[in-house]
Amino acid sequence: MKGNTLKMNPLGAIELTGMEFHAYHGCLESERTEGNTFIVDFLGHAAIKDAAQSDSLDKTQDYAKVYRIIQREMEKPSNLLEAVAGRIVDAIARETEDFVFIQVRVAKKNPPVGGACGWSRVTASWGDDLSAGDLSSAMP
């Protein structure tokens, strides 16, 4: 380290974790009519240095916009969690700016697998993962 000046990495992680939705994803008729509990976690890598230094809203990502995109995509029934996660990643990549990496994990509570199972999960991503961060510790 040169002198006493620390240099912050310009990229950082923005996360929204534990977003809970009642939705109608699945292949079985009961899943389509009764629905189930789903948990969605979001991780996005973006430039955060300007926001950290300025404390200005116009220098950061709109967290509420990301949430609204996820909520909208969760309202569209799909057979597969892979389709839901992929659709969310694509929508966030299209409708936001400045993320260089996006990762979304969608989990379904008590999936119908023929036995005890707390969650089924699918993770989809977009872009270049430039850091070591991931969602591995975010889910229940």
Side-chain angles (χ1 to χ4, degrees):
M1 180 170 69
K2 189 174 186 178
N4 289 333
T5 305
L6 294 176
K7 295 206 178 209
M8 179 179 165
N9 186 327
L11 287 178
I14 295 172
E15 300 180 55
L16 297 174
T17 62
M19 294 175 277
E20 188 170 321
F21 302 94
H22 186 84
Y24 300 89
H25 308 303
C27 296
L28 302 178
E29 183 62 30
S30 61
E31 295 176 293
R32 297 299 204 130
T33 57
E34 298 169 23
N36 201 340
T37 299
F38 294 82
I39 302 294
V40 179
D41 290 321
F42 164 81
L43 167 67
H45 295 166
I48 66 164
K49 185 176 180 179
D50 289 346
Q53 292 176 338
S54 69
D55 196 26
S56 177
L57 278 174
D58 67 341
K59 301 289 185 186
T60 190
Q61 299 296 313
D62 184 344
Y63 297 19
K65 181 178 183 178
V66 171
Y67 181 89
R68 287 189 305 271
I69 293 168
I70 294 167
Q71 182 180 38
R72 180 191 72 215
E73 297 304 322
M74 286 299 294
E75 292 173 353
K76 300 174 185 175
S78 293
N79 288 326
L80 303 176
L81 291 181
E82 292 87 343
V84 178
R87 192 172 61 237
I88 292 170
V89 165
D90 287 345
I92 294 171
R94 272 193 325 274
E95 298 175 36
T96 63
E97 297 179 7
D98 301 326
F99 285 114
V100 297
F101 177 74
I102 297 167
Q103 184 177 54
V104 171
R105 182 173 0 201
V106 179
K108 178 193 294 188
K109 189 172 186 174
N110 299 317
V113 294
C117 181
W119 298 90
S120 59
R121 299 179 186 141
V122 170
T123 303
S125 61
W126 169 91
D128 296 320
D129 184 5
L130 302 175
S131 77
D134 67 26
L135 294 171
S136 62
S137 63
M139 295 296 294

